[in-house]
Amino acid sequence: MTGIGGRSPGIGTGFRGVAGVEPFADALARHGLSLVRDRVHTLQVNTGYLCNLRCRHCHLEAGPGRKEIMSRETMDAVVSFARRFPFQVIDVTGGATELVPVLPFLVDGLAPLAPRLMLRTNLSAVSGAAWEALLALCVAHRVVLVASFPSTNPSQADAQRGAGATDAAIVVLKKLNAAGYGVDGTGLELDLVSNPVGAFLPVSQGSAERKFRTDLLRKWGIAFNHLYTFANVPLGRFRTWLLRTGNYERYLKSLTDGFNPSAVERLMCRTLLSVSWDGFLYDCDFNLAAGRPSADPRIHVSDVRELPAPFAPIAIGEYCYACTAGSGFT
Ligand code: SF4
């Protein structure tokens, strides 16, 4: 049987750490902590890096030129994997999930297999009949929609996502509300995700959610269920931007200064497995971006016969500080 575990941080990846930054493992040890697995209950599925946007903060460097998208064959393997193992939550992400031509096959296959199926959307990837068909599919399966919406200030949001992105997102959010998403009593959940638009940490989730709720209602009459605020992870395009603008060291310092040991116990990688667009397992989407699979050699979902056991190690790097800063990325 092929299991997962038994690898140590950095194996097979060439990961070097960052000069002048205390290794994340040392920071954990200084607080008497280690980052190990709990029981896995969430499966994250990355459908690929193709996206209509080219967001500055994207740790995967997704964009219009990317060719990596999940094939029907890999979707088959992912659905089979989710059938063999009982996940409570399945989270389908990208790139822009909407641009994967066979996405409905994945949604149809996964929806019956977990109590909660989440689909990430950037609110701008498809329109017209394609959007209507996707919306009908999500309504039929009671899929939870998780939409990127960085700021209620259009000029700030467009600076991160591209000119006109906010206007397009507002149109779609209104349509989602009209279909019942984000509206009390419908059971159709619409959550928003906000990342800071620069080299700074997010404000507290509670106060950001209150502001978003007030602003969206007042400016555009839009309702939603929950807002999640996450720090940008210094990988991929965001790392390149930090380096180019001379903000890299300052940003890492703000992350390390904000290290919150009490966030470690609730980190998502303790209970989550991430599947790449080509079907291989990672401990989280950030390790996928860093090219650091769950095991060495990496394991395809078709070959997994058991999930990682509690206390199995998790691959870590200095970017993990983005998950433990402030209230944490949990
Ligand atoms: S980047 Fe975050 S989620 Fe991934 S292993 Fe590190 S702490 Fe866990």
Side-chain angles (χ1 to χ4, degrees):
M1 294 217 302
T2 305
I4 305 167
R7 74 276 183 275
S8 59
I11 280 182
T13 66
F15 188 78
R16 294 278 181 276
V18 180
V21 174
E22 181 183 29
F24 188 69
D26 292 0
L28 293 174
R30 206 158 37 76
H31 290 85
L33 298 169
S34 59
L35 183 51
V36 292
R37 285 203 165 272
D38 198 343
R39 193 180 64 79
V40 175
H41 57 57
T42 297
L43 176 66
Q44 188 169 61
V45 182
N46 191 305
T47 56
Y49 307 148
L50 176 62
C51 188
N52 58 310
L53 302 177
R54 196 190 299 274
C55 294
R56 189 166 68 193
H57 71 279
C58 184
H59 60 275
L60 288 164
E61 301 189 77
R66 300 299 297 259
K67 305 290 184 222
E68 305 92 334
I69 55 171
M70 188 171 275
S71 66
R72 168 79 183 252
E73 186 183 26
T74 301
M75 288 182 182
D76 256 332
V78 170
V79 171
S80 169
F81 176 61
R83 192 173 291 124
R84 296 199 305 279
F85 297 99
F87 294 100
Q88 292 298 305
V89 179
I90 301 179
D91 174 8
V92 179
T93 186
T97 56
E98 306 95 319
L99 294 181
V100 180
V102 283
L103 179 71
F105 174 77
L106 186 67
V107 172
D108 280 334
L110 293 177
L113 302 179
R116 183 176 172 85
L117 176 63
M118 300 159 62
L119 182 70
R120 311 279 182 131
T121 171
N122 69 19
L123 300 171
S124 64
V126 290
S127 58
W131 169 250
E132 298 297 336
L134 182 61
L135 178 58
L137 181 74
C138 291
V139 171
H141 288 303
R142 320 302 282 178
V143 174
V144 176
L145 290 177
V146 182
S148 316
F149 198 83
S151 171
T152 59
N153 179 328
S155 60
Q156 284 184 0
D158 284 5
Q160 184 186 86
R161 308 181 77 205
T166 305
D167 286 347
I170 293 298
V171 170
V172 176
L173 286 172
K174 286 183 173 177
K175 285 184 181 170
L176 289 175
N177 277 179
Y181 268 102
V183 178
D184 285 347
T186 63
L188 293 170
E189 185 173 333
L190 171 62
D191 298 333
L192 303 181
V193 172
S194 165
N195 297 60
V197 293
F200 48 86
L201 299 182
V203 299
S204 89
Q205 193 155 286
S207 63
E209 184 175 281
R210 281 190 293 279
K211 177 171 169 35
F212 270 61
R213 203 175 295 290
T214 304
D215 286 358
L216 281 167
L217 197 57
R218 181 176 53 82
K219 291 185 184 179
W220 299 293
I222 288 169
F224 64 94
N225 293 102
H226 307 289
L227 174 78
Y228 300 105
T229 57
F230 296 128
N232 292 315
V233 178
L235 288 168
R237 194 176 295 124
F238 187 58
R239 181 176 184 276
T240 302
W241 179 81
L242 288 171
L243 287 168
R244 185 164 45 79
T245 56
N247 281 305
Y248 185 65
E249 288 178 9
R250 188 174 61 79
Y251 186 66
L252 280 189
K253 184 165 181 346
S254 70
L255 294 181
T256 55
D257 287 351
F259 180 73
N260 173 10
S262 65
V264 173
E265 189 181 354
R266 295 174 286 113
L267 288 173
M268 62 179 174
C269 50
R270 300 199 61 214
T271 54
L272 171 147
L273 273 176
S274 183
V275 184
S276 61
W277 64 275
D278 51 354
F280 291 91
L281 287 181
Y282 293 76
D283 288 327
C284 70
D285 208 51
F286 307 122
N287 280 341
L288 169 59
R292 309 184 67 212
S294 278
D296 179 27
R298 62 184 188 162
I299 300 173
H300 195 272
V301 281
S302 306
D303 299 323
V304 177
R305 299 292 176 268
E306 58 184 5
L307 296 182
F311 302 107
I314 295 168
I316 56 176
E318 271 56 271
Y319 46 85
C320 292
Y321 281 114
C323 298
T324 54
S327 52
F329 200 146
T330 56

